[in-house]
Structures are given as structure tokens and as C-alpha cells.
Amino acid sequence: MSPRVSLIIPCFNEEKTITHLLESIVAQTYPLSDLEVIVVDGLSTDATRVQISHFQTGHPQINLRIVDNPKRIIPAALNLAIQAASGDLIVRMDAHTIPAPDYVARSVADFDAGKGED
């Protein structure tokens, strides 16, 4: 059984890139049923939330939530995401990145192998 993974994503005004990231999450080799996606938005003033809503409508198979970050700083966003997370493991992503399709699976495998414990 795969551990449940919470993907935490701080963002602010990422309308041009957030859909690309979300598409790359759906394309992950890790089981979508074992993923939750938490986007912590610094109250974007562009169409970031519209893009996320459109994505949610077209991809109901993904557990995706938006959390407000009124402080608009990354440390606050990460703290809010961690508080909202329900997964066994937390993996951070940035809203303007496109991770490799096996990024989550490799992160879990590295955790299971004890890498990064030093």
C-alpha cells in the first residue's frame, strides 16, 4: 500500500504556470488516489484561482484544495499547507515548475530508503 502524499504548493499570481503544474501532477506515476494537492494562495490578483477552478472542474479525480495565505509570504504558506495536510508524507512543489512524471514516486522511494536522514 502506498503512503498518502500531500503535495503542498505555495503560490501567488501564477496564472500562466499553475495549469502546467497541475497537469504534471495528474501525469505523475504515483497513484492519484494516494495524493492530495494543497495550493496555498497568497490572495492572487490575477486569474490563478480561475485557472485552478477550471482545472478542478475538468479533473474531478484529483483531491485539490485551495487555502488562503493572507500574509503572502512563503513561510506562512508552508505552515498553512502543513496544517491542512492529511497525508503520511509531505512533498513541496513550486507553482511555476513542471516536475518529472516520477517525481512523487521517487520522493517516496527515497524516503522509504532512508535518504536524507543525516
Side-chain angles (χ1 to χ4, degrees):
M1 176 180 252
S2 303
R4 186 151 169 78
V5 175
S6 297
L7 300 178
I8 62 172
I9 305 161
C11 81
F12 178 73
N13 287 350
E14 296 287 353
E15 72 178 331
K16 294 179 181 175
T17 60
I18 193 71
T19 300
H20 300 296
L21 169 63
L22 296 173
E23 288 171 349
S24 72
I25 290 171
V26 170
Q28 289 294 302
T29 59
Y30 201 77
L32 288 180
S33 59
D34 292 323
L35 289 178
E36 74 172 340
V37 179
I38 302 169
V39 178
V40 185
D41 180 44
L43 308 177
S44 292
T45 58
D46 65 0
T48 297
R49 285 186 183 235
V50 171
Q51 296 294 328
I52 295 169
S53 293
H54 285 152
F55 187 86
Q56 282 179 301
T57 301
H59 298 86
Q61 76 277 24
I62 190 164
N63 179 4
L64 172 61
R65 290 184 285 147
I66 301 173
V67 175
D68 288 340
N69 174 17
K71 291 186 180 179
R72 290 187 171 174
I73 57 173
I74 292 173
L78 296 175
N79 287 335
L80 290 166
I82 290 166
Q83 289 171 357
S86 64
D88 302 308
L89 300 174
I90 294 173
V91 174
R92 179 189 168 174
M93 293 186 172
D94 289 312
H96 55 273
T97 60
I98 300 175
D102 62 346
Y103 178 77
V104 175
R106 287 180 33 209
S107 295
V108 171
D110 285 351
F111 177 83
D112 288 343
K115 293 185 179 178
E117 289 185 358
D118 297 332

